[in-house]
Amino acid sequence: MKVAIAGAGAVGRSIARELLRGGHRVMLLERELEHIDAAAIPDAVWVHADACELALLEQAGLETYEVVIAATGDDKANLVHSLLAKTEFGVRRVVARVNDPRNEWLFDGSWGVDVAVSTPRLLASLVEEAVSVGDLVRLMTLRQGQANLVEMTLPADTVLAGKPVRTLTLPRDAALVTILRGGRVIVPQPDDALEGDDELLFVTSVEAEEDLRLELANHGIRP
């Protein structure tokens, strides 16, 4: 893919390196001339431009890119860049970095954002996931807030041990997508048996998340 990244700071450069290792073509947009260092990532296209200036984005050919990542340290700039990328250049996928969690509610489809990534929220979720057993933890928001990826680790002495996956009667808009067991990733089938310490990953709509909590509570797992 062709990916444009707004912001060539530590975050933007790290993303660029990972994408280049994956074989993608990357353009870095950077407003501050002193932050441009083509030698640091020679395989990327470096452009000196303000990511919020329409004319400069036109010169950079943003419409030819399939994915845009707004990765600056300024939430206002990330929102404006996301909106321009989606509405003016028709970019198919726009990912935006949220620096201040208090601004997270702004990063949605009305600003052209397909996926918002909040590092503080993500870190908090990972901490919760690491220490929470028998509780549902939201890991990530998907589809502009329409769905969530949630995780629950079964207690070692769970009453579900040995019972098939079909024992769980999930809400209509919730699905068990993966079971993590030790080093294995299991795509669950109805007859697969659950075990203590299994990590269950669900995709659920926002409305169905509470029903999922109640269903797990019905099996002796505290909500």
Side-chain angles (χ1 to χ4, degrees):
M1 294 183 299
K2 293 181 69 178
V3 183
I5 302 173
V11 172
R13 293 188 187 198
S14 295
I15 296 170
R17 291 188 183 97
E18 290 298 320
L19 290 171
L20 288 167
R21 275 195 283 267
H24 304 291
R25 288 175 288 173
V26 175
M27 173 175 67
L28 281 163
L29 297 162
E30 175 54 50
R31 183 181 62 180
E32 303 295 337
L33 187 59
E34 60 268 24
H35 292 169
I36 293 180
D37 183 5
I41 310 178
D43 293 330
V45 175
W46 290 75
V47 176
H48 179 215
D50 188 327
C52 299
E53 289 290 339
L54 183 60
L56 296 178
L57 296 178
E58 289 176 345
Q59 292 176 18
L62 197 67
E63 71 279 0
T64 66
Y65 285 79
E66 299 161 90
V67 180
V68 158
I69 302 174
T72 79
D74 185 334
D75 283 345
K76 296 188 295 297
N78 288 342
L79 286 170
V80 172
H81 183 65
S82 296
L83 185 62
L84 291 175
K86 183 66 72 174
T87 60
E88 299 295 328
F89 298 94
V91 176
R92 180 168 56 87
R93 190 74 164 169
V94 177
V95 180
R97 171 189 177 188
V98 184
N99 296 279
D100 187 339
R102 293 173 296 181
N103 297 329
E104 192 170 3
W105 64 278
L106 289 166
F107 286 74
D108 60 15
S110 64
W111 280 95
V113 177
D114 294 306
V115 179
V117 181
S118 171
T119 301
R121 177 181 288 278
L122 181 59
L123 289 173
S125 295
L126 292 173
V127 169
E128 289 180 348
E129 187 271 336
V131 301
S132 299
V133 175
D135 201 1
L136 203 62
V137 177
R138 183 181 298 177
L139 297 180
M140 187 176 294
T141 298
L142 309 170
R143 297 295 298 172
Q144 302 175 18
Q146 299 174 27
N148 294 317
L149 177 67
V150 298
E151 184 272 353
M152 189 199 63
T153 301
L154 294 177
D157 59 350
T158 179
V159 296
L160 290 172
K163 295 182 178 180
V165 167
R166 65 172 180 271
T167 302
L168 295 173
T169 305
L170 301 180
R172 177 179 178 181
D173 294 327
L176 175 61
V177 293
T178 303
I179 299 174
L180 303 179
R181 181 178 296 158
R184 298 175 57 201
V185 177
I186 300 169
V187 178
Q189 302 300 316
D191 292 329
D192 288 343
L194 297 166
E195 295 182 7
D197 296 322
D198 277 353
E199 293 182 53
L200 310 182
L201 295 180
F202 301 88
V203 172
T204 175
S205 68
V206 175
E207 294 77 12
E209 191 170 328
E210 184 58 30
D211 291 336
L212 178 59
R213 291 180 187 273
L214 294 174
E215 167 61 18
L216 296 173
N218 288 337
H219 290 282
I221 304 170
R222 64 183 177 86

